[in-house]
Amino acid sequence: MDKHPNPAEQEHTRGRERARYRPQEIEPKWQRFWLEHKTFRAQVDHTKPKYYILDMFPYPSAAGLHVGHPEGYTATDILARYKRMRGFNVLHPMGWDAFGLPAEQYAIETGTHPRITTARNIETFRRQIRSLGFSYDWDREISTCDPEYYRWTQWIFLKLYERGLAYLADVPVNWCPALGTVLANEEVIDGKSERGGYEVIRKPMRQWMLRITAYAERLLAGLDQLDWPENVKEMQRNWIGRSEGARIRFRLCHPDGTPLPEEDAFFDVFTTRPDTLFGATYCVLAPEHPLVDRITTPEQRAAVEAYRQEAMRKSDLARTELAREKTGVNTGGYALNPATGRAIPVWVADYVLLTYGTGAIMAVPGGDQRDWEFARRFGLPIIEVVQGGDMDKGAYVGDGPHVNSGFLDGLNVEDAKNRMIAWLEEHGYGERTVTYKLRDWLFSRQRYWGEPFPIIYVDGRPKPLRPEDLPVVLPEVESFKPTGTGEPPLAAVTSWVETVDPETGKPARRETNTMPQWAGSCWYYLRFIDPHNHERPWDADKERYWMPVDLYVGGVEHAVLHLLYARFWHQVLYDCGLVSTPEPFQKLVNQGMILGFSYRYYEDQQGRRYSYREVQKVSQDGLEEPRYVLAADPAVVLAVRYVPVDQVQWRDEVPYHPEDPQLELEPQTDKMSKSRGNVVNPDAVVAEYGADALRCYEMFMGPLEQVKPWNTRSVAGVYRFLSRVWSLFITDTGDLCPQIVADDPDPQASLTRLYHKTIKKVTEDIEGMRFHTALSALMVLLNEMQKAERIPRTIAEGFVLALSPFAPHLGEELWQRLGHSDTLAYEPWPTYDPALARDTVVTIPVQINGKLRATIAVAADADEATLLTAARANEKVQSYLQGRTVRREIVIPGRLVNFVVAEEGGGR
RNA sequence: GCCGGGAUGGCGGAAUUGGCAGACGCAGUGGACUCAAAAUCCACCGCCCCUCAAGGGCGUGCGAGUUCGAGUCUCGCUCCCGGCACCA
């Protein structure tokens, strides 16, 4: 029933509410103010130190912003606002990684142009991001799908091409016959298409490749200079995968050891263990190795051919998945072990990959577990070359003296390697070499929604367009559907594909592949420096001023690909003289994922529901997904089901199913996802608690880098904090609180001391990105200010300034109500007096035998003697020292007193 | 299997160099205000024993060690999270 309050009551309520903390009113007000006044516009200013602070720009998905996004954005925003107040010239931009598969997939399903979908999604993202009060310079907003942007992506591709770093090659791609299209790696899950679950096979296609391997050594070496998380650097090192070893040449021979006469009758192997060459009892070629045909004997040809066909059809993933049991076929051919001079058989096996090393190995079953397994399976000889293991149990990979190894006998591994390499080089059998796991970057996608290549084919040969011919703009297409032949959608636009060479006027065909999504994000941080330049991708002076990015914050999922690709492009641009720093991102921080509570139960095939208490988890060997069965009857296999968070029924703090009040749900913290029903929408949080509360909560949750679960109830706690800040300054009637007085702070007052301590801590914590402890320090100060009868204005204002990077709307509002007419964004950061940030009287613990027994209050600078006297004077201490011998006194001024006493007599 | 990170109350987390474990917040309990509720404010809040109180014992995943003193350092385990995984 509706309640109709009488007008007086209504008036009363409204009057009181107006004076309350109402983020819904003050937040849009200040967002408008910042936008209208361009408060955060950044311009080159050589009188100020610069600070470039960058967020990994988002892909504007249809789902909109997620609470994970504002975590990193808030951290950078706090730092950006803090740095401005510290006198830095701050560049803090935001933009959109706007090419991408979901928009294209949506176009295939609905016919809506990806440009329209993307524009709509950007609209949403921009609104959501603005509603959080981030201090971006919106004049620098860019979008990778804008022709004015991708024109320069194409321009950089031309630079790569000029330097021979872009080339065409026939490489196997993920071809899905059922869908009639090529899939990106991320669209292939367990060898099946992500959509539909159809089979995916490898099919060679002509593709653009980028020669990132040419930069492998520099990409590796550059890591040492960077202030990045160690795990990210390690992941990049592993990805690059440098290994030192030798290339060794094996000549083909007859079974009796006579070498074949032809000059080119050989293959090279790569090994990290040249010292084990005497133990190489056979060789293995990758199934795709070009020499396989030639070496295979007529008797073996059918078997080898069948094996090759099968291996080639399998995807890399399928090949590794089935790899439990080694497979292979003898070619019937032989090669000469250069060390022993004996003929050893040559096999084909798919445990050797064509793409690594030379695509061929010498197999040392005594020193390599894979070779050992293979030798066991096929009855090949196993020779011990390094002592220390048991050849019946497995290969020995450790160090030890060499045996059965001719001139290496007795040497340890390190010495034997060097000795063998010297011997190989001396006799022309091989040389020292370095190999990388890193492979060249497959840069073509058979897709519509990406950057077209600035390449045309004249007389069937690729030719780069000239810079003045750019941009090559994406044409309109009839259909976004794949052509069915593996040709990209652009191939169907005849009027676009058939063109003329602008230089010669000869007929030409356009490249119809597009670039991958990584392309646009490889250099966006450079475009932010000079986003509206029509002549150049960026101005050289501006680049020198702003680069490098001082702090880059984003998710750890980009630890390898994006960050490696961007570094690669940057190093190329550096070699071109186009950028002034060898590395783009000086400091990197990964924010931890925010998890959501989800509530699970289980269902059998008949749709009967079960609580987790009746269910048993069966983890299957080697498989990611565990299975769930009924504990009472393990034959009943159960499926996991979730109840969306907002439908969970709570009784006595226990969650139950909404339609089945007896069914107890199992609370879990999981990655947020639609299917688990545990996604938290930032819009809803802003509507209820405001952006400042959302920002503060995200920071207060814990260390930035850490994974942590979202707890909406805790948001209310932070909201209460902000409300209390508000009511400390503003009375019920909307005036400034009378407790805030013009007095000078009394240096002896505990509030003054606490204030200085707080400013010190907040300053240090922001610098160290410990935002959660900075907020807790501000909370402590607020608690004390609330108890104070008089709050000196300088303290009140300093508090507002120190809080403002965290809660900028509230900060601005209070600043204004304190009588200031301009934004606080450029007010000097509050300072602290180190002398006042220390206590004069401290509480010192007194221990007896290391156990805390009393505390004493003494002057902070009390010396050892004073401390000891005070401690001995303490009544409790005396009772413990009564009748015992003090063996030792440990006194640390400012820290503690510890008496080491002998135990009382009586048998001990 | 290999590499990296971690384990602290009911929960998120805090703790300078080895020096008062549990700051701050959430949840909870009791109280004030209220016709009542919400909101707000005040107090309590690791576990156990004793209890009128005072007190005492235990306690930072497990087991050892170093030290006057260990969440922190060393050694050995267990479990969890992330990455890589036939890379020769």
Side-chain angles (χ1 to χ4, degrees), chain A residues 107 129 160 222 253 289 326 365 391 438 480 504 596 788 798 861 869 872:
Chain A
I129 286 177
L160 288 154
C253 67
H289 196 284
K326 299 243 176 317
M391 294 295 106
L438 184 70
F480 301 99
T504 63
D861 54 0
T869 313
R872 284 183 172 282

Side-chain angles (χ1 to χ4, degrees), chain A residues 725-754:
Chain A
V725 171
W726 175 269
S727 47
L728 179 77
F729 286 86
I730 309 298
T731 65
D732 281 354
T733 53
D735 303 312
L736 203 61
C737 280
Q739 283 92 331
I740 298 170
V741 291
D743 301 3
D744 279 335
D746 171 7
Q748 291 315 312
S750 63
L751 183 63
T752 309
R753 300 247 164 206
L754 183 63

Side-chain angles (χ1 to χ4, degrees), chain A residues 656-716:
Chain A
Y656 292 96
H657 193 282
E659 290 156 23
D660 195 344
Q662 296 312 309
L663 186 71
E664 189 184 332
L665 302 171
E666 180 181 19
Q668 302 240 134
T669 49
D670 279 310
K671 197 170 166 174
M672 287 188 186
S673 74
K674 233 180 180 170
S675 62
R676 294 190 188 93
N678 63 349
V679 174
V680 178
N681 180 349
D683 283 349
V685 180
V686 171
E688 188 162 5
Y689 299 105
D692 284 338
L694 174 65
R695 292 169 59 115
C696 289
Y697 172 64
E698 295 223 3
M699 294 300 99
F700 192 62
M701 287 171 88
L704 181 62
E705 307 81 7
Q706 198 164 297
V707 175
K708 38 208 177 287
W710 179 275
N711 182 354
T712 298
R713 282 200 283 205
S714 293
V715 183

Side-chain angles (χ1 to χ4, degrees), chain A residues 613-662:
Chain A
R613 296 186 186 281
E614 310 166 75
V615 171
Q616 204 163 27
K617 185 172 166 181
V618 186
S619 38
Q620 295 171 304
D621 234 22
L623 277 180
E624 292 276 305
E625 291 296 315
R627 286 171 13 148
Y628 296 90
V629 296
L630 203 55
D633 179 5
V636 180
V637 177
L638 304 167
V640 178
R641 295 281 184 269
Y642 294 90
V643 175
V645 180
D646 50 358
Q647 289 172 30
V648 173
Q649 301 291 308
W650 290 91
R651 287 200 313 271
D652 299 327
E653 301 287 306
V654 178
Y656 292 96
H657 193 282
E659 290 156 23
D660 195 344
Q662 296 312 309

Side-chain angles (χ1 to χ4, degrees), chain A residues 209-364:
Chain A
M209 304 289 291
L210 295 186
R211 210 180 297 280
I212 190 170
T213 51
Y215 280 72
E217 197 59 52
R218 272 171 67 187
L219 288 167
L220 190 65
L223 290 172
D224 297 337
Q225 316 307 318
L226 299 177
D227 182 8
W228 284 21
E230 204 44 54
N231 66 321
V232 173
K233 290 207 245 185
E234 204 50 37
M235 277 159 78
Q236 293 217 347
R237 285 189 194 110
N238 290 340
W239 193 263
I240 294 166
R242 182 183 201 275
S243 26
E244 286 180 27
R247 193 201 315 275
I248 303 178
R249 183 152 297 185
F250 280 72
R251 292 208 68 82
L252 301 186
C253 67
H254 295 292
D256 64 1
T258 333
L260 298 188
E262 297 90 348
E263 277 281 300
D264 59 348
F266 67 84
F267 59 90
D268 287 343
V269 304
F270 172 73
T271 177
T272 54
R273 293 292 303 277
D275 60 297
T276 62
L277 180 54
F278 282 95
T281 53
Y282 64 103
C283 282
V284 184
L285 303 181
E288 307 88 340
H289 196 284
L291 212 70
V292 172
D293 254 343
R294 178 159 168 195
I295 199 171
T296 305
T297 56
E299 309 83 70
Q300 290 300 102
R301 186 156 305 275
V304 168
E305 231 9 80
Y307 186 76
R308 288 182 82 181
Q309 286 304 321
E310 200 191 328
M312 254 183 254
R313 261 203 314 274
K314 281 192 238 168
S315 67
D316 266 356
L317 219 123
R319 258 165 82 158
T320 50
E321 216 172 7
L322 295 169
R324 307 266 134 161
E325 190 86 48
K326 299 243 176 317
T327 60
V329 178
N330 192 345
T331 63
Y334 286 85
L336 215 49
N337 180 328
T340 62
R342 280 203 283 273
I344 56 175
V346 179
W347 286 62
V348 173
D350 65 4
Y351 82 92
V352 173
L353 309 171
L354 183 70
T355 42
Y356 183 75
T358 59
I361 62 158
M362 62 178 211
V364 184

